[in-house]
């Protein structure tokens, strides 16, 4: 248990060893944050993943008997936060489950297949706990339709659900006790993998956050922000506006090193123009890491060989992921190699990059079998052209 303010506690769980969060690679683990607010009425904000139920209950019991809880607020139906809701409810016979109308209500009923003691709220709803009150701020699609932030007055503590989260497991609970380099990198990775498709909704959530002037921000994952609020809020400003910097990513996979040689030549060309460039081989870099690197990059070049008249499957998987995330305002380029099927990989990459919302360069660079020195020079030149577009 960690005290946040008078009568406000973190009672969540720490998942130190989690390395895969439905495909999102989490090298630093994560936490499932739950918060307890004590007043005349007692509220528990969120539960934890069902695997960590006993850890949650042990922390709650450090503060009070769970049977005293009056409200169980679900800020988000996703099972890492509501997964132990039914088990917790069994310990809190008088508790009502507070959820956002429609999507929250329907989502919880559909997950738990049982009649829950629901109390629905919407934008502008408040709930008095005695001397203090909770107000509810739905932020649909950041990241599920039912996400809502909860604001505690007069303490000015904002429970921000998916906003400002980071997948890190730490023994520290606050930003000012933690490694800020790690937190900001993980907050960026979280934004890129979870919130990227919804910049408009996230910008609205940020606006609402700024208007509330919170003293502490308590997200669903990772540490709480109290010492470096301007830093995380400014970062969300940049990300929701889609701000980029002169940086390119070259992402490829390869069978017999032809596409790899092309990728390396592209990197050389980009770097020759003084533009920062990052190279990822899809055989060794995971998708969640790559899109974190893409977040503030201005351009993305993707390369693939042909396998059975198709893209190499890891490249197809990356492009599928990218189409879901829809990164806006970036330049795209395609390259690749082939044997006897023709240059279909480059065409397919260009199509997918356009569908993902990138502004795709016309140039097509497809090499048969192994690139000649002249063809590698053409790759360097494409890299230079891309870098000039980035600078221009
Ligand atoms: Fe979550
Ligand atoms: Fe979520």
């Amino acid at each position: 248990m960690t005290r946040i303010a008078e009568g406000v506690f973190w009672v969540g769980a720490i998942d130190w060893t989690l390395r895969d969060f439905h495909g999102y690679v989490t090298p630093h683990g994560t936490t499932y944050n739950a918060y307890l607010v004590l007043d005349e009425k007692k509220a528990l904000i969120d539960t934890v993943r069902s695997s960590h139920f006993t850890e949650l209950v042990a922390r709650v019991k450090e503060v009070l008997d769970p049977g005293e809880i009056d409200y169980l607020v679900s800020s988000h139906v996703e099972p890492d936060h509501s997964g132990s809701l039914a088990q917790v409810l069994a310990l809190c016979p008088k508790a009502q489950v507070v959820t956002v109308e429609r999507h929250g209500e329907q989502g919880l009923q559909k997950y738990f297949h049982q009649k829950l003691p629901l109390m629905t709220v919407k934008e502008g709803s408040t709930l008095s706990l005695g001397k203090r009150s909770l107000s509810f701020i739905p932020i649909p699609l950041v990241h599920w339709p039912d996400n809502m932030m909860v604001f505690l007055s007069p303490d000015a503590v904002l429970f921000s659900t998916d906003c400002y989260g980071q997948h890190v497991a730490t023994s520290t609970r606050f930003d000012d006790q933690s490694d800020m380099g790690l937190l900001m990198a993980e907050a960026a990775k979280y934004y890129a993998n979870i919130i990227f498709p919804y910049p408009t909704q996230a910008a609205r959530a940020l606006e609402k956050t700024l208007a509330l002037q919170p003293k502490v921000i308590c997200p669903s994952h990772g540490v709480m922000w109290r010492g470096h609020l301007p830093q995380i809020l400014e970062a969300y400003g940049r990300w929701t506006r889609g701000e980029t910097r002169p940086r390119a990513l070259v992402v490829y996979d390869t069978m017999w090193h032809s596409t790899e040689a092309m990728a390396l030549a592209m990197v050389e060309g980009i770097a020759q123009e003084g533009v920062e460039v990052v190279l990822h081989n899809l055989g060794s870099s995971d998708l969640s890491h790559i899109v974190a690197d893409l977040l503030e990059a201005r351009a993305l070049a993707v390369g693939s060989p042909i396998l059975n008249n198709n893209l190499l499957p890891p490249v197809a998987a990356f492009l599928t992921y990218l189409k879901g995330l829809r990164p806006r305002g970036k330049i795209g380029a395609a390259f690749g190699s082939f044997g006897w099927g023709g240059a279909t990989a480059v065409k397919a990459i260009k199509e997918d990059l356009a569908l993902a919302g990138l502004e795709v360069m016309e140039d097509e660079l497809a090499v048969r079998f192994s690139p000649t020195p002249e063809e590698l020079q053409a790759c360097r030149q494409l890299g230079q052209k891309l870098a000039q577009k980035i600078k221009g």
Side-chain angles (χ1 to χ4, degrees):
M1 170 270 281
T2 302
R3 186 183 168 281
I4 300 165
E6 185 62 39
V8 187
F9 303 91
W10 173 88
V11 290
I14 307 174
D15 197 344
W16 291 98
T17 57
L18 182 83
R19 293 295 176 265
D20 183 342
F21 192 96
H22 58 57
Y24 176 148
V25 174
T26 52
H28 306 288
T30 195
T31 66
Y32 311 111
N33 294 340
Y35 302 98
L36 200 53
V37 182
L38 306 188
D39 205 326
E40 286 155 32
K41 299 281 185 184
K42 323 296 190 236
L44 176 65
I45 299 176
D46 281 328
T47 69
V48 296
R49 198 175 182 139
S50 57
S51 53
H52 286 68
F53 165 70
T54 50
E55 197 178 330
L56 168 74
V57 173
R59 289 213 167 87
V60 170
K61 282 183 174 168
E62 289 175 38
V63 184
L64 89 171
D65 172 355
E68 291 180 46
I69 293 171
D70 300 281
Y71 302 110
L72 217 155
V73 180
S74 164
S75 81
H76 177 22
V77 173
E78 196 167 10
D80 50 335
H81 309 294
S82 75
S84 46
L85 189 129
Q87 288 158 284
V88 172
L89 262 186
L91 302 177
C92 319
K94 62 173 176 177
Q96 280 182 287
V97 177
V98 182
T99 183
V100 74
E101 62 179 12
R102 209 157 78 88
H103 290 297
E105 200 181 347
Q106 291 168 358
L108 289 175
Q109 302 279 17
K110 191 68 191 68
Y111 258 106
F112 289 98
H113 309 165
Q114 70 185 67
K115 190 145 175 53
L116 298 166
L118 295 182
M119 172 198 284
T120 59
V121 291
K122 57 183 178 187
E123 178 83 52
S125 299
T126 58
L127 181 62
S128 172
L129 300 177
K131 291 185 188 61
R132 38 181 67 168
S133 66
L134 298 176
S135 50
F136 301 97
I137 305 123
I139 49 166
L141 292 175
V142 191
H143 119 255
W144 278 25
D146 66 294
N147 274 80
M148 71 169 169
M149 302 199 289
V150 181
F151 189 64
L152 177 68
S153 303
D155 311 76
V157 176
L158 178 70
F159 304 99
S160 63
T161 188
D162 272 303
C163 277
Y164 323 118
Q166 339 91 48
H167 280 313
V168 288
T170 51
S171 59
T172 54
R173 297 274 63 81
F174 292 99
D175 56 347
D176 52 15
Q177 307 162 326
S178 315
D179 171 356
M180 274 301 287
L182 172 69
L183 293 192
M184 291 310 294
E186 287 299 324
K189 186 174 181 183
Y190 195 91
Y191 186 93
N193 284 277
I194 308 273
I195 307 181
F196 224 155
Y198 312 110
T200 315
Q201 292 87 339
R204 229 175 281 142
L206 174 63
E207 235 172 70
K208 289 177 176 176
T209 303
L210 294 170
L212 290 166
Q213 298 188 304
K215 285 191 196 135
V216 189
I217 293 182
C218 304
S220 294
H221 295 285
V223 304
M224 296 171 270
W225 303 94
R226 68 175 180 193
H228 300 276
L229 285 178
Q231 212 169 322
I232 185 67
L233 296 175
E234 272 162 32
Y236 263 64
R238 285 200 308 279
W239 300 333
T240 53
R241 286 191 296 271
E243 279 179 27
T244 57
R245 58 179 204 266
R247 161 188 252 217
L249 244 64
V250 178
V251 176
Y252 73 99
D253 205 347
T254 197
M255 289 162 71
W256 296 107
H257 305 293
S258 296
T259 308
E260 182 166 63
M262 297 176 77
L264 287 165
M266 291 273 295
V267 166
E268 255 181 69
I270 295 165
Q272 276 166 7
E273 288 292 317
V275 168
E276 181 198 352
V277 55
V278 180
L279 180 75
H280 281 291
N281 179 337
L282 286 158
S284 52
S285 292
D286 71 85
L287 301 185
S288 43
H289 182 153
I290 297 172
V291 299
D293 270 348
L294 179 66
L295 178 60
E296 294 193 24
R298 202 162 292 165
L300 167 69
V302 178
S304 178
I306 296 270
L307 177 71
N308 302 331
N309 210 26
N310 257 305
L311 291 175
L312 208 56
V315 180
F318 171 64
L319 291 168
T320 298
Y321 195 45
L322 197 71
K323 281 188 282 183
L325 295 175
R326 300 192 303 275
R328 265 146 261 203
K330 298 189 192 293
I331 305 160
F335 61 95
S337 58
F338 63 96
W340 50 95
T344 49
V346 175
K347 228 170 233 75
I349 293 170
K350 281 172 79 173
E351 276 171 23
D352 276 352
L353 288 176
L355 286 171
L358 285 87
E359 178 206 327
V360 186
M361 287 172 72
E362 278 304 310
D363 308 63
E364 291 191 17
L365 207 55
V367 162
R368 182 154 191 253
F369 291 128
S370 174
T372 61
E374 293 73 28
E375 284 168 330
L376 287 178
Q377 185 53 22
C379 294
R380 265 178 228 108
Q381 281 163 355
L382 180 62
Q384 286 170 330
K385 197 170 164 187
L386 182 67
Q388 284 155 10
K389 250 179 115 64
I390 286 173
K391 292 192 285 186

